[in-house]
Amino acid sequence: MKMYLIDTFTNELFQGSPAAVVVLDEWCSDDDLINLSRENAVPESAFLVRKDTDYEIRWFTHKKEIQLCGHAALAAAYVVNHFMEHDCQSIVFHSLAGKITVTCKPRDIYELCLKAFDLKQIEFSNELYEVVGAVPKSVYLGRDYLLVYEDEQTIRKIRPSWNEKIDFDGKLISVTAKGTGYDCISRTFVPHNHMAEEEACGSAHCHIAPYWSRKIGKNELKAYQASSRGGILYCRCENGKVLLSGACVLYMAGELSGTGRTE
């Protein structure tokens, strides 16, 4: 099995969001995929199996399969373009989230076409306050939570606190505000995995980009994820879709010996 480590939503090593991509001849068991993900030692791993001219893709954390991972889809597109179909124009992935088309652009920039998530305004709960510790001006719920703040310094200063008893039903928590030099700034926290945050989260911008597009009246946005590594996402909103573009850079390419099983 071929395995690659890619830094995404960045053109510099050790920045953006890292993802592992494993290329399989055929699907192995879910337990094997979880074990491989755990061994890869990055938050999410993408697994690919080629089907005719397209690819099946699945994403796993250290604990379970997830429906969609934008940055790992970006990483998978980089691997296909560089190591499987050199200099292709577009790639089609089939996933639990449906068909995802990726456009390959110059300078190792890839554009994902994803569905925009609907947002409904809700009240700010005690559970959310216990995690983020800062009261937003508004709260929305789509697939995940979106908390909107007045200024970017609040976003940068948030230090999440986890409580084992709080259950957000697998939802991410994104916090956002207008940014200096960017249309918006954000961070995304992952309470169900007890992981501090995503370095640069593509799927979270299926909430963030539509919100700011409507708020400031622009279809094209430059977004910054203010994690410890940082990440830059170029977003375009049109017809209920979010087109997310970002750069990728290769950290490592190698071989996996197998799933670790012995006969």
Side-chain angles (χ1 to χ4, degrees), residues 183 209 212-213 216 218-223 233-236:
D183 292 299
W212 286 111
S213 178
I216 63 181
K218 292 174 63 175
N219 289 335
E220 296 189 9
L221 307 170
K222 185 179 181 182
L233 301 91
Y234 298 91
C235 312
R236 181 157 49 96

Side-chain angles (χ1 to χ4, degrees), residues 1 16 52 60 62 66 75 80 86 91 100-101 111 118 122 127 135 170 196 200 203 239 249 252 255:
M1 290 181 285
D52 299 322
F60 282 79
H62 300 181
I66 56 176
V80 171
H86 296 286
I91 303 161
I100 298 172
T101 301
E111 183 181 74
D118 294 327
I122 63 171
E127 289 80 9
V135 178
S203 65
N239 301 321
V249 58
M252 186 187 74
E255 292 270 358

Side-chain angles (χ1 to χ4, degrees), residues 78-133:
Y78 177 97
V79 168
V80 171
N81 191 41
H82 278 266
F83 300 101
M84 302 173 72
E85 298 181 37
H86 296 286
D87 299 322
C88 55
Q89 299 299 307
S90 65
I91 303 161
V92 176
F93 294 126
H94 298 275
S95 74
L96 289 177
K99 185 173 77 171
I100 298 172
T101 301
V102 184
T103 302
C104 307
K105 298 188 172 185
R107 300 187 300 278
D108 278 329
I109 293 176
Y110 299 88
E111 183 181 74
L112 305 175
C113 182
L114 301 175
K115 181 182 177 181
F117 295 131
D118 294 327
L119 292 173
K120 177 183 178 181
Q121 191 163 2
I122 63 171
E123 295 296 322
F124 185 55
S125 68
N126 291 334
E127 289 80 9
L128 284 170
Y129 182 79
E130 190 169 339
V131 170
V132 301

Side-chain angles (χ1 to χ4, degrees), residues 22-210:
V22 180
V23 181
L24 305 169
D25 292 327
E26 59 184 18
W27 291 111
C28 50
S29 73
D30 287 6
D31 286 344
D32 286 338
L33 296 176
I34 290 171
N35 285 333
L36 287 166
S37 298
R38 188 179 296 119
E39 197 73 9
N40 289 338
V42 292
E44 289 90 11
S45 295
F47 296 90
L48 294 180
V49 172
R50 187 164 190 168
K51 295 295 182 183
D52 299 322
T53 59
D54 298 342
Y55 296 85
E56 292 181 354
I57 187 169
R58 298 173 70 186
W59 299 281
F60 282 79
T61 69
H62 300 181
K63 296 182 178 181
K64 65 179 183 178
E65 183 171 15
I66 56 176
Q67 187 177 53
L68 174 64
C69 182
H71 79 272
L74 211 73
Y78 177 97
V79 168
V80 171
N81 191 41
H82 278 266
F83 300 101
M84 302 173 72
E85 298 181 37
H86 296 286
D87 299 322
C88 55
Q89 299 299 307
S90 65
I91 303 161
V92 176
F93 294 126
H94 298 275
S95 74
L96 289 177
K99 185 173 77 171
I100 298 172
T101 301
V102 184
T103 302
C104 307
K105 298 188 172 185
R107 300 187 300 278
D108 278 329
I109 293 176
Y110 299 88
E111 183 181 74
L112 305 175
C113 182
L114 301 175
K115 181 182 177 181
F117 295 131
D118 294 327
L119 292 173
K120 177 183 178 181
Q121 191 163 2
I122 63 171
E123 295 296 322
F124 185 55
S125 68
N126 291 334
E127 289 80 9
L128 284 170
Y129 182 79
E130 190 169 339
V131 170
V132 301
V135 178
K137 67 177 183 179
S138 55
V139 181
Y140 297 87
L141 178 61
R143 186 197 72 171
D144 304 309
Y145 292 99
L146 180 64
L147 282 54
V148 182
Y149 290 84
E150 292 284 358
D151 66 275
E152 68 174 277
Q153 289 308 312
T154 301
I155 304 299
R156 294 180 182 274
K157 291 178 181 177
I158 286 174
R159 297 293 180 265
S161 176
W162 307 127
N163 183 331
E164 295 280 349
K165 297 180 181 179
I166 296 177
D167 182 8
F168 288 105
D169 193 30
K171 291 177 171 56
L172 308 178
I173 301 171
S174 291
V175 297
T176 187
K178 287 185 179 179
T180 301
Y182 300 91
D183 292 299
C184 58
I185 185 172
S186 67
R187 294 170 68 193
T188 298
F189 307 123
V190 191
H192 54 282
N193 284 339
H194 301 289
M195 182 176 72
E197 64 185 293
E198 289 275 10
E199 300 289 354
C201 185
S203 65
H205 282 77
C206 294
H207 298 93
I208 296 165

Side-chain angles (χ1 to χ4, degrees), residues 238-259:
E238 56 181 42
N239 301 321
K241 301 289 186 182
V242 179
L243 289 93
L244 298 175
S245 297
C248 292
V249 58
L250 176 68
Y251 172 67
M252 186 187 74
E255 292 270 358
L256 294 175
S257 62
T259 62

